[in-house]
Amino acid sequence: MASPHPARAARTTGIALLMLGLTSTVALTGCGGTTDDDGKADPKASASAAPKGAVTREQAAKIVDNYAAVNGKANRTQNAKLLATVEGGQLHEQSKADYKTFSTWTKADRSDYEKPFSYQDRTYYIPAGEDWFAVKATASGSKTPALLVFDKDGGAWKLMSAVYAEAPIPKIDTGNHGLATAVAPSTRVGTLAPNDVGAAFEDLYETGGKKAGAGISHTTDPAKDALKLYKKRATFDLAKWATKKYFAKDPAYGTTYALRLADGGVLAVVPTAHTQETLLKQQFMGSFEINPNKEESVYNPAKRAIVTDTFQGMTLATLPKSGKPSVIAYEYRMTDSK
C-alpha cells in the first residue's frame, strides 16, 4: 500500500545542521541612544539599549552556509552518525526516516538527494530576546521557498524545522530595530494559539475536521489534502478487506516557533504527528494478511493483520488577528511501521 502522504515533493535535498558553537548574544544595529554629561552620544549606552538577537545577520549567514555543507556530506553517504550531530527536532526525525528508506526511492530521487546544495535568496528573521532565529530561503535547484528555524541543542546550532511552501510566505514584522518579534506559542491569536494548530490539523485526518479541526480553515491546499485522505479511507485499494483510520499522536519534538507578521497576525512552525492504521475486517481475520509496501517493509517486512504507520510532520500556519488559522504548508515522513 503506497503511502498517500507527501514525502519529498518540496524538499529537494535532505536537511542537516551546523556545528558552530556561537554562544554570545550580539546586538544588531539599533536606533536612538543616550548622551553623557557633555551632551555627546554615549555609544556604550546606545549599544546596551538596543534590542538583541541570538546572532547577527553575518553570524546567521555563516551558520546557514556551514549547515548546508555538513548536510551535503551526510547525505552523500547517508551518514546517520554525522547527521545526528548536526540536526535536531522534528526535522531530524524526518531525515532519519529519509536515510532509513533511501533504498526504496527512485534512482532520480537518490541522485538528487546526494547532490551538494546551498541556500539562496535569504531573508533572516532574528527575534529580539530569543535564542533562536529563522531564515526564508530557497535551496539551489528549487524555486520553492522554505522557512528554516535554527535553535541551540546541546550547545550547538541546529536546524530544527524546515517547511517548504508553495503558497506565499507572508511578510514578517522586523520593525524592532531590524529584529523580528517572537510570539509565545501559548498566546491566543484570533481564535487559537499557535500551540493549538497541530491538534486541529491532525483532526482533519482523524474526524474530517468535525472536532478540533473545525477551528482552522479547510480551504488551503494542505487542509484539502488532509480531508481528501480522510474521505478516501472508505475507498482505498484494500477497502473490501480492511479498514483505514487515522489517529493523532504527540509529535516526537513538540516545540512551536512563532513570529509576529507585519499585519499583526502570526506565522508559526508547528510540529504534528499521526498514525495510519490499516486493519483487516473481522470476517477476514485468520484467512488473509496485509502485505506491507516497500517503505513499510523497511521497518517491518512481515505480513500481518494490522499495519500501523507513524508519520512525523511539521506545518507552517498563519494565525490572523481575527478569524481561523490557516495551514499553508506541511511536511510528513513515515518514521515507523509495525
Side-chain angles (χ1 to χ4, degrees), residues 45-61:
S46 178
S48 63
K52 299 178 180 179
V55 293
T56 65
R57 284 170 176 77
E58 291 75 16
Q59 289 171 329

Side-chain angles (χ1 to χ4, degrees), residues 191-192 196-219 223 226-227 324-327:
T191 58
L192 294 177
D196 299 326
V197 173
F201 187 67
E202 291 298 351
D203 185 63
L204 301 184
Y205 293 100
E206 188 168 359
T207 75
K210 297 179 180 66
K211 295 181 179 180
I216 62 173
S217 170
H218 292 189
T219 64
L227 291 170
K324 296 181 178 182
S326 295
V327 173

Side-chain angles (χ1 to χ4, degrees), residues 185-188 191-201 212 216 256 270 319 325:
S186 59
T187 302
R188 189 183 180 105
T191 58
L192 294 177
N195 273 346
D196 299 326
V197 173
F201 187 67
I216 62 173
T256 292
V270 184
L319 293 86

Side-chain angles (χ1 to χ4, degrees), residues 18-159:
L18 134 122
M19 299 179 62
L20 287 184
L22 295 175
T23 58
S24 61
T25 339
V26 183
L28 298 180
T29 302
C31 300
T34 62
T35 60
D36 59 19
D37 292 338
D38 297 324
K40 298 179 180 180
D42 184 346
K44 293 182 179 179
S46 178
S48 63
K52 299 178 180 179
V55 293
T56 65
R57 284 170 176 77
E58 291 75 16
Q59 289 171 329
K62 291 179 180 179
I63 288 172
V64 176
D65 288 341
N66 192 59
Y67 143 75
V70 172
N71 182 69
K73 290 179 181 179
N75 288 345
R76 281 196 291 275
T77 58
Q78 296 81 63
N79 188 331
K81 184 176 181 179
L82 175 59
L83 185 67
T85 65
V86 297
E87 188 170 275
Q90 284 292 90
L91 184 59
H92 189 214
E93 291 298 302
Q94 293 186 338
S95 293
K96 287 189 297 183
D98 285 346
Y99 285 6
K100 184 83 172 177
T101 61
F102 191 75
S103 63
T104 69
W105 299 5
T106 66
K107 183 177 180 180
D109 281 345
R110 292 197 302 269
S111 176
D112 184 57
Y113 198 83
E114 291 172 345
K115 291 177 182 177
F117 72 100
S118 61
Y119 279 108
Q120 304 166 346
D121 303 321
R122 302 176 189 175
T123 304
Y124 298 97
Y125 302 111
I126 303 171
E130 300 293 326
D131 54 5
W132 58 274
F133 69 93
V135 186
K136 183 174 74 172
T138 56
S140 51
S142 173
K143 295 182 179 179
T144 305
L147 190 70
L148 316 174
V149 178
F150 289 86
D151 201 348
K152 283 290 189 67
D153 182 20
W157 282 105
K158 296 186 179 182
L159 186 63

